[in-house]
Amino acid sequence: YEATKYFIQNGHRKIIHLAGNTKKTPTSDRINGYKKALKDFNIPYDKNYLIKGDFQQIVSYDKIKACIDSKLDFTAVFAANDDMALGAVEAIKEKGLKIPEDISIIGYDDTILAKLTNFSSIKAHVEDMAEILVNNLIKIVEDDTRVSPTFTVDSELVIRDSIKKLN
């Protein structure tokens, strides 16, 4: 939600979401966040901008290259993880386009890839996730307690030099 919202607040309206494996919960959460941000800003959802990937660099590379070749009109890409964002970056550059001048990009996970290639990314607080998991395991082992299989942790958008303000 935050990545798409940030793009919109910077004038982007044609935003590709490179989704991960649709059989995994994080993918549906990120797709729902993408759609909610579009809705909150009265931008119609267009299925052509939801590109299904598999959390893999090569898949996103091929998909973004195909989008550019097909002349799909887009100004921004939100990738469901940094590996996919890197694949998108490679395809964009290979096609002679520039980031952020031609296409803006945000990844997810804020891995070393995002830092080294200087693209913006959503940082999930892995330490908080680990703490929740450990505490839940302790409850299960010590108390034979059932715990919720889902939980939420905070995240933050780390801004780098990959987003062009359009308005």
Side-chain angles (χ1 to χ4, degrees):
Y1 179 87
E2 289 301 319
T4 306
K5 177 179 147 186
Y6 191 80
F7 279 141
I8 294 167
Q9 290 172 330
N10 281 278
H12 296 272
R13 299 291 178 267
K14 296 175 180 174
I15 305 162
I16 285 179
H17 174 44
L18 272 171
N21 182 329
T22 55
K23 294 178 182 165
K24 296 184 179 181
T25 303
T27 298
S28 59
D29 290 344
R30 291 171 198 169
I31 290 171
N32 290 337
Y34 167 76
K35 289 179 177 179
K36 181 176 177 356
L38 293 174
K39 183 178 180 187
D40 287 353
F41 287 89
N42 298 314
I43 298 171
Y45 167 72
D46 181 338
K47 65 180 180 177
N48 293 313
Y49 291 93
L50 179 62
I51 311 297
K52 293 180 182 172
D54 197 20
F55 291 118
Q56 295 179 27
Q57 182 178 341
I58 189 65
V59 173
S60 64
Y61 168 84
D62 290 339
K63 299 274 183 152
I64 291 299
K65 222 168 113 174
C67 289
I68 295 168
D69 288 343
S70 72
K71 307 282 190 236
L72 181 65
D73 183 23
F74 65 100
T75 62
V77 175
F78 168 54
N81 73 4
D82 287 346
D83 285 343
M84 290 173 55
L86 184 59
V89 166
E90 290 174 344
I92 290 163
K93 288 182 176 180
E94 184 179 296
K95 289 295 182 176
L97 300 170
K98 293 182 178 167
I99 298 168
E101 294 84 355
D102 299 310
I103 299 172
S104 295
I105 192 154
I106 297 175
Y108 195 101
D109 291 327
D110 197 37
T111 62
I112 192 73
L113 293 173
K115 295 169 185 149
L116 291 174
T117 55
N118 208 29
F119 61 79
S120 302
S121 186
I122 300 286
K123 179 178 182 167
H125 292 278
V126 178
E127 302 84 13
D128 294 344
M129 286 187 243
E131 183 178 343
I132 290 168
L133 288 171
V134 168
N135 288 337
N136 283 345
L137 284 172
I138 290 169
K139 285 179 190 176
I140 291 167
V141 171
E142 289 181 353
D143 304 332
D144 196 30
T145 304
R146 296 184 69 94
V147 295
S148 172
T150 60
F151 55 89
T152 304
V153 296
D154 290 331
S155 61
E156 66 181 289
L157 176 57
V158 179
I159 303 296
R160 296 192 180 89
D161 295 330
S162 66
I163 302 164
K164 179 179 179 181
K165 187 173 180 87
L166 296 181
N167 55 1

